[in-house]
Amino acid sequence: MNNKELEEQMIRNYQREEHMMILVFAQWCINQGLDPTELYLRAYPDQPNNAALQQALDLTVPRDEAGEVPDDTLLGVLSLFGNEDLAFIVTQEIDKRPKHHG
């Protein structure tokens, strides 16, 4: 495999993993009763029509059919891809939740 092929394969793998990251984000939003597009726009106001997000939304399932997406999992995946802006917005939403005492 030459360098060009290797590079293309790495890009494809990255894009596939990035799609997974966006899908995890979108499903987490739906599970939390939040609008993924609105949260994404707050993090990236200059990306109003993100194609990967639109594709991910097509793959999400209703909250009652979805497995749980733990907050830590989502934040870990976002930081892995350097999406600090989106992680910040997600953290704000987590902080808005009523705190459970005891």
Side-chain angles (χ1 to χ4, degrees):
M1 189 183 288
N2 66 31
N3 281 351
K4 184 87 180 115
E5 288 169 338
L6 186 63
E7 193 177 301
E8 285 170 0
Q9 187 180 356
M10 287 169 66
I11 290 169
R12 275 196 304 274
N13 286 346
Y14 180 83
Q15 287 171 331
R16 200 164 39 237
E17 287 166 13
E18 190 179 31
H19 280 283
M20 281 305 300
M21 176 269 295
I22 293 173
L23 179 56
V24 168
F25 163 72
Q27 189 65 61
W28 178 87
C29 289
I30 287 166
N31 290 1
Q32 304 300 323
L34 300 167
D35 177 355
T37 310
E38 196 254 331
L39 261 65
Y40 196 89
L41 264 180
R42 276 172 29 207
Y44 306 109
D46 56 337
Q47 294 182 32
N49 296 312
N50 184 293
L53 180 59
Q54 294 309 316
Q55 289 175 331
L57 290 173
D58 292 339
L59 298 172
T60 57
V61 294
R63 187 187 341 201
D64 54 2
E65 291 174 26
E68 191 187 344
V69 180
D71 301 340
D72 291 348
T73 300
L74 175 61
L75 292 171
V77 169
L78 290 176
S79 76
L80 196 67
F81 280 88
N83 281 328
E84 271 73 29
D85 295 342
L86 196 51
F88 179 73
I89 299 292
V90 165
T91 303
Q92 283 184 325
E93 290 299 328
I94 292 168
D95 290 344
K96 285 182 193 173
R97 291 183 198 150
K99 301 281 182 264
H100 296 294
H101 295 292

